[in-house]
Amino acid sequence: MKKRENKLSRTIGLVLAIVQLIATGIFMAGIFKLNMLPTKYVVAATVALVLFWGIILASQFFSKKNAITGKIISVLITVLLIFSSYYLFKVSGTVSKISGGEYKLDKVVVSVMADDSAEAIKDAKNYTFGVQYKMNGDQIKQTVQAINEELGTEIKTEEYDTLAEQAEALHDGKVDAIIYNQGFTGVLEEAFEGYEDNTKVIYSHDIKTEIEDTSSDVEVKNDTFSVYISGIDVYGAIETNSRSDVNIIAEVNPTTHQILLVTTPRDYYVEIPEVSGGQKDKLTHAGIYGVDKSMKTLEKLYDTNLDFYARVNFTSLITMVDALGGVDVESEYAFTTSEDSGLVMDVVQGTNHFNGKQALAFSRERQNVPGGDNQRGKDQQAVITAMIKKMVSPAILTGANGILNSVSGNVETNMSEAQIQELIKTQLSENPQWTITSMAADGTGDTQYCYSYSGKPLYVMQPNQESVDAIKEAMDKVENGETLEGGTTTTE
C-alpha cells in the first residue's frame, strides 16, 4: 500500500516537474522574443530556473516522504512562470504595435449646422454639398464616390475654391452640408470662433495612405540620432492626420549620453515642403498633411535630418505620469493655470511634484504664463525631461505595466522594434546618467495669410533667425560629441 502511495506521489511529482519545465521553456521563449534584457540577466535567469527545476525533480525521486513541499513549490513556480510569460508576450506585442508606423489616416467628414435635422448621411440624400478640390482633392472625390454608393444616387455638389468659402457657404445657408478633411476642423475653429459648437458631423470616411519609410538604419546604441516628437490634438486613432500642437526634436548622442530637446512654437510661420508650394503656413498645420510633412518642415527650418518620429496623443500623458508615480517638474515661473488647461491649480517656481492631470494642465497652459505659447513649449520640455529622468530610473520597473497600457494605441513611431529593444537593453545593462539640455526657438507675433486657410489672416509667429541658428549650432555639437553647457542630469 505504502509503495503504491509512493509510486503515485512520484508520478504526480514527475508530471508537475514536466509542466514546470514546459512553463520554463515558454518563459525563456518570452524573454528571447522580448529581447530587452542584457545577456548577463538572461544567463542568470536561465541558470536559476534550471537549478529550481533540478531541485524539484530530485525531491520527487530521492525524498523518503511524499515530497509535498516540493510539489507545492513546483505549482507556485509554474503559476508564476505562466503569469510572467503572459506579461512578457504582452510587452513584446505592445512594442511591436507602436513601432513601424506604415500609414497615415485621413478622416473626411460631412458637416451640417448643429440645428440641422439630419443625423446621418441618409437624412441628407437631397442636400447640396459644398466641396473644394484644391487641397486633398483626391480624398474629397473618393468620399463623394463613397457617399454616392451608400445612398444609391449621385449627390448634388457645389464647388468652391477654398475651405474658407466652403465654411462661409454653410453658415450662410448657400449649401446644406460641406465635405472636408476633419484635420482642418482646428483651422476652421481658428478662423470662425465657435465653429465646432455650431456644426455637427453626420458622416465620416476613412482613407489610409502609406507613409514613405523615412526611418534610418541607425545603430541606436552607438550612433547619434534624432526623434521628432509630435503631440497631436485628436482623441481617435493615433494614425489620424491632425494639427501637431507639440513639436519637439530630441537629438540623442548615446556615446556621450547627451539629449538636446528643441521646441518649435506651433504657430511658427514656415514653408511646408511638397505641400505649400513656397507659400508659408503655421507649423501646426503641417501635421494635417501627415507626420512626414511636419518632419520635412522642421528639417528645412533647421537644415538637419530627422531619423525617427514619435506621435503622441498627449491625453495619454496622464496615465504615463501616474504609472511612474508622478514626476518632479521644474517651473521657471509661479502661476495659476486657467480653466482651458483642464485643471485650475497653483504652480510654484522651482520643483513641483505633479500627477498625470497636473502634468497635462501644466503642459497646456499658455494664458497665465509670461511668453504665452513660447513658455508653453518650454514647460512641455520640462515635463518630458522629468519623464525621461523617471524612465531611466528604477521607477520604470514598478510602473512598466501601467506605462505600456497607456502607450498602446496612444503612441506610434517608425523606429523599428529591434531599435526600441536595443535602447532599453542598453539602458538596463549600462544604466548611464544622461545630460538633458533644453532649447526653444522664439519669434514675434504677427497676422498673415496661411496656405491652409486663405479666408483671412491668422495669428502666426515670425521666426527669430538668431534662435534658429543657435539651435542648429547646438544640434551640430551634440552630433559631434561636444558637451553642451547648462544641462541637467538624470541622477535620481
Side-chain angles (χ1 to χ4, degrees):
M1 184 70 177
K2 192 173 182 180
K3 288 184 179 180
R4 264 187 293 178
E5 288 178 358
N6 288 339
K7 185 177 181 181
L8 177 61
S9 176
R10 288 174 180 171
T11 301
I12 294 173
L14 180 60
V15 171
L16 290 175
I18 292 172
V19 173
Q20 181 183 333
L21 181 62
I22 294 172
T24 299
I26 295 173
F27 176 78
M28 293 309 301
I31 285 181
F32 284 112
K33 179 174 175 59
L34 184 64
N35 194 26
M36 291 182 187
L37 294 179
T39 303
K40 59 183 179 182
Y41 296 153
V42 175
V43 172
T46 303
V47 171
L49 288 172
V50 170
L51 283 176
F52 271 126
W53 180 77
I55 292 170
I56 295 298
L57 183 63
S59 71
Q60 302 307 308
F61 285 94
F62 298 106
S63 174
K64 295 181 180 180
K65 298 184 179 181
N66 291 331
I68 298 297
T69 302
K71 292 180 176 63
I72 293 174
I73 294 174
S74 179
V75 171
L76 290 176
I77 291 176
T78 300
V79 171
L80 180 62
L81 287 171
I82 291 172
F83 176 80
S84 300
S85 298
Y86 167 77
Y87 178 74
L88 287 172
F89 282 101
K90 180 183 177 182
V91 171
S92 181
T94 300
V95 172
S96 179
K97 184 177 180 180
I98 69 174
S99 67
E102 297 174 348
Y103 68 90
K104 52 188 176 182
L105 178 67
D106 286 281
K107 283 184 175 292
V108 181
V109 299
V110 175
S111 283
V112 298
M113 297 303 294
D115 58 0
D116 194 291
S117 60
E119 296 294 335
I121 194 64
K122 61 181 177 60
D123 302 324
K125 188 172 184 178
N126 297 316
Y127 280 15
T128 298
F129 295 78
V131 296
Q132 65 84 25
Y133 298 121
K134 289 191 175 179
M135 288 192 298
N136 305 103
D138 290 340
Q139 295 176 356
I140 305 302
K141 289 176 182 178
Q142 288 182 45
T143 304
V144 170
Q145 183 179 351
I147 293 172
N148 289 339
E149 291 175 358
E150 183 165 335
L151 296 178
T153 185
E154 194 167 308
I155 61 173
K156 181 181 178 182
T157 60
E158 187 73 32
E159 187 175 346
Y160 295 92
D161 290 331
T162 66
L163 184 67
E165 291 178 6
Q166 261 187 292
E168 289 170 2
L170 177 63
H171 280 73
D172 294 343
K174 294 178 181 178
V175 294
D176 305 297
I178 57 174
I179 304 173
Y180 66 99
N181 188 310
Q182 193 175 37
F184 286 95
T185 301
V187 181
L188 291 171
E189 187 67 27
E190 293 177 67
F192 295 93
E193 187 175 350
Y195 173 82
E196 286 189 90
D197 293 333
N198 294 322
T199 60
K200 64 182 179 182
V201 173
I202 62 170
Y203 178 80
S204 177
H205 179 61
D206 291 349
I207 298 175
K208 286 185 177 182
T209 308
E210 286 189 9
I211 296 179
E212 178 187 353
D213 185 7
T214 56
S215 62
S216 299
D217 187 20
V218 174
E219 289 188 24
V220 293
K221 182 179 179 180
N222 301 310
D223 299 338
T224 300
F225 61 91
S226 55
V227 183
Y228 165 53
I229 303 170
S230 170
I232 62 174
D233 64 351
V234 297
Y235 294 87
I238 190 67
E239 303 89 357
T240 306
N241 284 337
S242 172
R243 294 182 306 169
S244 182
D245 278 355
V246 178
N247 299 277
I248 294 176
I249 296 172
E251 192 82 16
V252 183
N253 189 319
T255 303
T256 61
H257 304 122
Q258 282 199 101
I259 299 175
L260 171 65
L261 295 179
V262 175
T263 292
T264 309
R266 66 190 294 278
D267 294 319
Y268 238 38
Y269 196 48
V270 290
E271 293 181 28
I272 305 177
E274 302 176 4
V275 173
S276 65
Q279 187 176 344
K280 291 187 176 181
D281 202 341
K282 294 188 182 191
L283 171 60
T284 184
H285 292 169
I288 300 171
Y289 307 99
V291 66
D292 50 336
K293 299 302 185 265
S294 294
M295 293 176 73
K296 290 181 183 298
T297 301
L298 289 169
E299 285 177 339
K300 179 167 182 163
L301 176 66
Y302 294 116
D303 190 23
T304 189
N305 178 62
L306 300 179
D307 301 299
F308 306 109
Y309 70 80
R311 302 182 83 216
V312 181
N313 184 333
F314 254 55
T315 55
S316 65
L317 181 144
I318 295 175
T319 312
M320 293 175 69
V321 170
D322 286 341
L324 286 167
V327 290
D328 294 325
V329 179
E330 298 295 323
S331 176
E332 288 188 58
Y333 302 101
F335 59 92
T336 300
T337 57
S338 62
E339 291 184 0
D340 288 347
S341 72
L343 177 68
V344 177
M345 65 175 187
D346 293 327
V347 176
V348 302
Q349 186 178 27
T351 304
N352 297 261
H353 184 78
F354 290 147
N355 62 26
K357 287 184 178 180
Q358 293 168 333
L360 183 60
F362 178 79
S363 300
R364 284 177 165 170
E365 184 56 45
R366 63 174 174 171
Q367 295 182 14
N368 296 342
V369 290
D373 193 54
N374 278 342
Q375 186 59 40
R376 180 170 71 162
K378 294 178 182 179
D379 290 343
Q380 289 164 353
Q381 282 184 337
V383 171
I384 290 177
T385 298
M387 292 177 69
I388 291 173
K389 291 176 73 174
K390 265 296 185 72
M391 286 181 175
V392 297
S393 74
I396 188 64
L397 300 176
T398 57
N401 190 45
I403 293 169
L404 287 168
N405 287 334
S406 67
V407 301
S408 181
N410 290 308
V411 176
E412 178 195 44
T413 179
N414 63 339
M415 187 176 286
S416 72
E417 186 175 356
Q419 288 167 325
I420 295 174
Q421 291 168 333
E422 187 62 35
L423 278 175
I424 296 174
K425 185 187 295 184
T426 301
Q427 182 62 37
L428 290 174
S429 177
E430 301 175 6
N431 192 29
Q433 291 183 0
W434 291 86
T435 300
I436 304 173
T437 306
S438 298
M439 297 184 71
D442 59 25
T444 54
D446 195 6
T447 53
Q448 294 287 341
Y449 284 96
C450 295
Y451 169 78
S452 297
Y453 186 86
S454 57
K456 69 175 185 180
L458 300 178
Y459 173 81
V460 301
M461 182 175 288
Q462 296 286 1
N464 178 339
Q465 192 58 43
E466 287 185 7
S467 71
V468 172
D469 289 341
I471 288 169
K472 290 181 182 178
E473 183 179 352
M475 285 180 169
D476 289 340
K477 285 184 176 180
V478 172
E479 185 172 358
N480 295 331
E482 300 177 46
T483 301
L484 299 179
E485 297 181 0
T488 61
T489 65
T490 58
T491 303
E492 286 289 335

